[in-house]
Amino acid sequence: MRSRIGFIACLASLLCGAWVPAHAADFYAGKTVRITVGGDSGGGHDVHARLIANHLGKYLPGNPAVLVQGVPGAGGLSAANYMFNVANREGLELGLFNRDVLILPLLDQNAAKFRPERFNWIGTPASYADDAYLILVRSSLGYRNMEDVRKASPPINIAHHGTPLIPLVKEGLGASAKIITGYRGSSEAILAFQRKEVDGIGASYINLTRRFPDWVPTDQVRVIVQYGHDKRLAGLPNVPTARELARTPDDLALIKLTELPLTFGFPVAAPPDVPAERVAELRQAFESVMKDKDYRAAIEKAGLEFSPRRGEDLAVDIGEIMSVRPDVVTRYRLITSDSVGAH
């Protein structure tokens, strides 16, 4: 009898021990998850982060609050450095990065204080399947295509706010251009363009049509090249891709390297050293957000691209970037230097 009572007491103790942690010890209960954005307020990175934040908490155990904080500066490099070196390692901080900074460690740049392969990649809501990065010039200048811009005299001024796709138009495609640095984000660059301080800017197709839907239809701007694909975007059938405009095989190799981060879209990652089970929870929650009907409706309403990719797939692409040919890296280093065409 005593043995039976002891067995029952032991079983009850085990059951209670299993029951209490399942509810009382949820890691995220009562906590706040922060998404650090490497972009300025109102830009594509900020919009995507806020839409994800609106839904992520309900798919994490304990249903934490989710907030967005911006860390602008250095074209998104400040945010990446923060996430790698300072951010919480327990799973309470995520970064939504400017994809272009992820390639900087390949160039041995001292300012890049992170290793992209050590981040725990969670996923991306968009992979440029239905988008492209564009170089625009003011129509009043009279330049209609890249051939015209290659002959421009004096060279046109193009605002540079972080992405190497902008100086690539000069180094990889042969445009007669001066790359004007110092803009902290796309909003500042666009404002300079509107004030006619510069002749050209870069912008994603979807973000351009969302924020300035009349620019192309009313011929206020001319799109001279689109980056990101082998084939032209359906909405821009008359605008050549950068790969079409490549003059040599070496130019083409440089273009492909520079375009590869576009497939990261708006990549979300946790810092290094986050426990594996927490990374798995974050990945599962992110995938659930991507399937959420309210999130999808919000994405559609905002006019944003929806073509998500898993974190595991992003990690594979990071590995590809880190093993690129040294001669291509040398040219890429040139176009990411602030000294190239800067005035």
Side-chain angles (χ1 to χ4, degrees):
M1 186 68 169
R2 278 185 195 151
S3 175
R4 182 175 296 175
I5 292 172
F7 171 78
I8 293 172
C10 181
L11 180 60
S13 176
L14 288 172
L15 288 173
C16 288
W19 176 262
V20 174
H23 293 272
D26 281 341
F27 171 77
Y28 286 105
K31 294 190 173 84
T32 297
V33 174
R34 295 186 183 276
I35 302 178
T36 294
V37 181
D40 53 337
S41 179
H45 294 81
D46 181 67
V47 174
H48 273 291
R50 294 185 185 281
L51 292 180
I52 291 169
N54 288 344
H55 300 276
L56 186 66
K58 64 186 175 185
Y59 293 112
L60 285 169
N63 306 125
V66 183
L67 301 179
V68 174
Q69 61 181 14
V71 181
L77 185 58
S78 299
N81 285 339
Y82 167 81
M83 288 301 301
F84 191 83
N85 297 288
V86 180
N88 176 280
R89 258 60 173 165
E90 297 178 303
L92 292 174
E93 290 199 58
L94 297 172
L96 194 151
F97 298 124
N98 179 334
R99 57 188 166 259
D100 294 312
V101 306
L102 302 178
I103 204 170
L104 297 184
L106 179 68
L107 312 178
D108 296 323
Q109 291 198 6
N110 292 331
K113 308 294 184 183
F114 65 92
R115 298 296 301 178
E117 69 271 22
R118 288 190 56 203
F119 279 118
N120 289 290
W121 294 100
I122 305 303
T124 177
S127 56
Y128 254 58
D130 299 312
D131 204 351
Y133 196 83
L134 315 176
I135 300 297
L136 320 169
V137 297
R138 188 174 294 103
S139 295
S140 59
L141 296 172
Y143 303 121
R144 295 186 171 276
N145 50 43
M146 180 59 70
E147 193 58 37
D148 288 346
V149 173
R150 284 170 174 163
K151 300 173 183 175
S153 181
I156 63 171
N157 296 323
I158 303 179
H160 183 19
H161 55 84
T163 174
L165 293 166
I166 293 173
L168 179 64
V169 77
K170 176 180 179 180
E171 169 61 23
L173 297 176
S176 174
K178 293 180 180 179
I179 309 303
I180 310 301
T181 62
Y183 299 100
R184 291 179 296 176
S186 59
S187 294
E188 282 193 6
I190 289 171
L191 185 59
F193 182 72
Q194 290 175 310
R195 291 174 174 172
K196 298 186 178 181
E197 296 170 8
V198 293
D199 305 316
I201 54 170
S204 80
Y205 174 70
I206 286 180
N207 204 29
L208 176 71
T209 55
R210 179 175 63 87
R211 297 179 67 181
F212 305 102
D214 61 327
W215 275 14
V216 173
T218 60
D219 198 35
Q220 295 181 52
V221 300
R222 301 257 170 80
V223 183
I224 59 170
V225 61
Q226 55 179 302
Y227 294 116
H229 304 281
D230 283 319
K231 297 181 179 179
R232 302 179 184 186
L233 212 61
L236 296 169
N238 298 318
V239 178
T241 68
R243 299 183 191 194
E244 290 177 70
L245 294 170
R247 299 163 297 176
T248 68
D250 286 345
D251 285 347
L252 181 59
L254 177 64
I255 290 166
K256 287 181 176 180
L257 170 62
T258 313
E259 287 182 331
L260 185 58
L262 288 176
T263 63
F264 298 158
F266 300 85
V268 178
D273 306 321
V274 174
E277 65 273 17
R278 203 79 27 83
V279 173
E281 289 174 341
L282 289 165
R283 283 176 171 171
Q284 181 58 54
F286 182 88
E287 290 183 21
S288 295
V289 171
M290 296 299 105
K291 298 173 183 176
D292 186 289
K293 64 179 183 179
D294 293 331
Y295 171 80
R296 292 286 303 275
I299 283 285
E300 185 175 344
K301 182 178 180 180
L304 300 175
E305 181 197 359
F306 180 77
S307 53
R309 297 181 68 203
R310 299 165 63 245
E312 294 91 334
D313 297 328
L314 298 183
V316 171
D317 283 352
I318 288 290
E320 183 178 342
I321 283 176
M322 300 306 287
S323 60
V324 74
R325 278 170 32 201
D327 60 308
V328 180
V329 172
T330 298
R331 288 191 71 192
Y332 187 87
R333 185 180 289 114
L334 180 64
I335 69 172
T336 56
S337 169
D338 282 347
S339 64
V340 178
H343 292 265

